[in-house]
Amino acid sequence: MEYVKLGNSDLSVSRIAVGGMSFGKPSEEFHLWTLPYEETKEMISFAYDTGVNFIDTANQYSGGTSEEFIGRAIRELGIPRDKIVLASKVYFNEGKLSRKAILREIEGSLERLRTDYLDLYQVHRFDYDTPIEETMETLDELVKAGKVRALGASAMYGYQFHNMQLAAEANGFTKFVSLQNHYNLLYREDERELIPVAKQYGVSLIPYSPLAGGHLSHSSWLTDSRRSRSDRMSAAKYNPTKDQDILIVERVKELSEKYQVSMSVISLAWLYAKGVSAPIVGATKKEHFADAATAYQLKLTDEDIAYLEELYLPHKVQGAR
């Protein structure tokens, strides 16, 4: 496994991250396809043995049970705390990114994850109701208090990310070192502004949904898997553009046959070619994660990349809104 630094932080992460959205108690309110505790524990154990040290989750995933399962698994597996990079998020909660909300939610995440600090704390979305300075100052306090080692952001518009970084610079607050945005071969809208701004600041890209909810991992649009049948969030994001995007999926399939690798490997290799540090992969099967964890080794040619990108058409913005 290769490891890279997140931005200018001292966090060294594996080239792929375990996506915590796959873990937790299934529910109608969130997802019905998430893994129960014992399977979560097996996935984390397998990933760690593979060399993966980066786990990403959020306070609201499966009503907090994602964090609970991850914290319990790390403890029961005996994984040393300093050998794992734990990341969580704040926003989808009462008060969003207000000072009161952040101070409340960090304590909840720490308790559920059974740790006294997070390696990476990320704002899950942009908060239109809270002054940016209030958010950045509160996050900076968490870093200075030792409860958080580094800060990151997730999906938002480029100008919003830029303004949050500017506010941190102007006031001497801690800046973001990572960006977890929506990015894959079927959704490339962030190439216009958000990704260039992130690169301007030397911020590492750790995108979510790198396989487009599984659509980039198999030649048919849907499969008979539990997630494919019941993931309403993925359906809302990708089904409206199915007819144009399936043509890109077919090209991924072509290249997978050319290189004798899975479609997941091709899709992730494209992200690495675009400068991504560590995509967040939400696998629910060990064999799928093991396959994805090898993708950084494949180097696509310029011709391959152009072929994969050629058919892309503009999409409605997803994630930032």
Side-chain angles (χ1 to χ4, degrees):
M1 179 58 62
E2 287 184 354
Y3 301 87
V4 293
K5 294 286 187 181
L6 282 185
N8 63 356
S9 75
D10 60 356
L11 296 178
S12 181
V13 300
S14 48
R15 294 303 306 274
I16 190 171
V18 176
M21 186 181 283
S22 299
F23 310 143
K25 294 180 180 178
S27 70
E28 290 284 351
E29 293 74 26
F30 194 68
H31 291 309
L32 294 170
W33 48 268
T34 51
L35 297 181
Y37 174 68
E38 289 301 329
E39 292 181 43
T40 295
K41 182 179 177 181
E42 290 176 6
M43 282 292 294
I44 291 175
S45 177
F46 179 81
Y48 184 72
D49 289 343
T50 306
V52 176
N53 72 341
F54 191 13
I55 302 176
D56 173 80
T57 185
N59 60 346
Q60 108 284 12
Y61 288 172
S62 295
T65 59
S66 171
E67 289 182 329
E68 290 177 4
F69 285 10
I70 291 169
R72 179 182 169 190
I74 291 172
R75 183 70 60 89
E76 292 185 358
L77 290 168
I79 298 175
R81 179 63 185 86
D82 63 351
K83 299 299 183 182
I84 205 90
V85 176
L86 278 179
S88 195
K89 311 182 193 74
V90 58
Y91 172 84
F92 291 104
N93 42 254
E94 182 183 352
K96 299 178 181 177
L97 300 182
S98 67
R99 174 180 174 80
K100 181 179 179 180
I102 291 173
L103 295 180
R104 179 189 67 240
E105 294 300 319
I106 185 64
E107 296 302 329
S109 289
L110 293 177
E111 181 178 356
R112 289 187 291 270
L113 286 164
R114 303 190 185 191
T115 182
D116 55 5
Y117 70 94
L118 283 179
D119 297 286
L120 180 67
Y121 202 34
Q122 304 156 101
V123 295
H124 214 155
R125 292 294 186 272
F126 181 81
D127 185 356
Y128 291 87
D129 301 320
T130 301
I132 291 175
E133 288 77 11
E134 178 180 335
T135 295
M136 298 309 292
E137 181 176 18
T138 307
L139 293 172
D140 182 62
E141 289 178 15
L142 297 183
V143 174
K144 290 176 178 175
K147 293 186 177 183
V148 172
R149 293 177 64 193
L151 301 175
S154 190
M156 60 181 66
Y157 290 111
Y159 80 91
Q160 294 167 337
F161 183 83
H162 182 61
N163 286 344
M164 295 186 87
Q165 292 286 66
L166 283 180
E169 285 185 335
N171 294 281
F173 301 148
T174 306
K175 292 190 292 185
F176 298 132
V177 301
S178 64
L179 174 65
Q180 185 178 156
N181 62 316
H182 183 198
Y183 192 36
N184 57 56
L185 273 166
L186 305 187
Y187 184 83
R188 296 169 46 202
E189 297 309 297
D190 286 353
E191 290 178 349
R192 302 172 187 273
E193 294 183 1
L194 182 57
I195 291 175
V197 171
K199 290 183 176 181
Q200 172 188 330
Y201 278 100
V203 166
S204 294
L205 302 178
I206 54 172
Y208 70 85
S209 199
L211 298 176
H215 295 306
L216 287 167
S217 63
H218 40 72
S219 55
S220 57
W221 190 251
L222 297 176
T223 69
D224 61 357
S225 73
R226 182 171 51 181
R227 178 173 186 177
S228 187
R229 295 193 310 268
S230 65
D231 194 334
R232 293 165 297 187
M233 188 182 301
S234 179
K237 283 192 292 188
Y238 298 113
N239 284 358
T241 52
K242 171 186 173 182
D243 290 344
Q244 70 186 65
D245 290 344
I246 195 68
L247 302 177
I248 299 172
V249 173
E250 290 172 359
R251 292 199 170 190
V252 174
K253 176 64 173 176
E254 287 180 42
L255 284 187
S256 74
E257 293 172 348
K258 170 185 172 181
Y259 285 102
Q260 293 296 295
V261 296
S262 70
M263 291 176 63
S264 295
V265 168
I266 296 295
S267 302
L268 293 173
W270 175 82
L271 282 171
Y272 291 122
K274 304 299 285 188
V276 164
S277 294
I280 312 292
V281 175
T284 55
K285 295 183 179 179
K286 289 184 285 187
E287 58 268 28
H288 293 168
F289 191 82
D291 181 58
T294 67
Y296 69 90
Q297 299 171 345
L298 177 63
K299 310 300 180 186
L300 296 175
T301 66
D302 291 341
E303 291 74 18
D304 293 332
I305 294 168
Y307 188 63
L308 290 171
E309 296 180 351
E310 182 182 13
L311 300 180
Y312 184 81
L313 295 174
H315 284 51
K316 179 181 179 181
V317 173
Q318 299 276 2
R321 294 181 178 177

